[in-house]
Amino acid sequence: MGIDQYHEPPEELSAQTRTFARMCASLSEEAEAIGWYVQRISVEPDVQARAIMENSMGEEFKHFSMELEFLLRRTPQWREIAKGILFTDGDIVEHGESAEAAAD
């Protein structure tokens, strides 16, 4: 992705903002990799190959989760909204609306 990840001139962005953008790009890349593994695993007939891919996908889950936590720790409003949605039962959209309203 390189410098294309920025929508503003990189030299005008703070180091903190550039790090945040890098982590967002990494999060997106991990999500994409998870999607690829899901597809590959669903069509792979070889049991051993599928087991290796499933193990690799677990690494992507770990990386995605660490990157998400990094971003949430640095963005209080995002973290507050996420708390109202993640790891809850019931209607996801309703939780999202409630969490967003509570964070305003």
Side-chain angles (χ1 to χ4, degrees):
M1 188 172 261
I3 62 169
D4 293 339
Q5 69 194 20
Y6 301 114
H7 295 283
E8 299 295 332
E11 63 277 0
E12 293 181 22
L13 301 173
S14 69
Q16 180 181 2
T17 298
R18 290 192 310 273
T19 295
F20 190 88
R22 286 186 203 108
M23 292 303 287
C24 285
S26 292
L27 185 72
S28 177
E29 291 163 1
E30 298 299 343
E32 186 174 39
I34 291 166
W36 292 338
Y37 278 116
V38 167
Q39 293 175 50
R40 292 173 185 156
I41 290 165
S42 74
V43 298
E44 179 53 58
D46 185 284
V47 173
Q48 188 173 27
R50 199 168 50 249
I52 292 167
M53 289 180 215
E54 288 169 348
N55 182 274
S56 295
M57 187 169 61
E59 286 290 311
E60 304 301 344
F61 289 154
K62 178 183 79 175
H63 298 156
F64 180 93
S65 298
M66 291 187 314
E67 291 158 2
L68 178 59
E69 182 63 18
F70 177 93
L71 292 165
L72 292 175
R73 287 181 183 186
R74 283 156 178 77
T75 316
Q77 183 182 16
W78 187 0
R79 186 174 192 83
E80 188 62 31
I81 291 170
K83 281 182 181 180
I85 301 167
L86 299 175
F87 310 109
T88 62
D89 295 322
D91 188 283
I92 296 169
V93 174
E94 286 179 16
H95 288 306
E97 294 298 325
S98 296
E100 184 179 26
D104 287 341

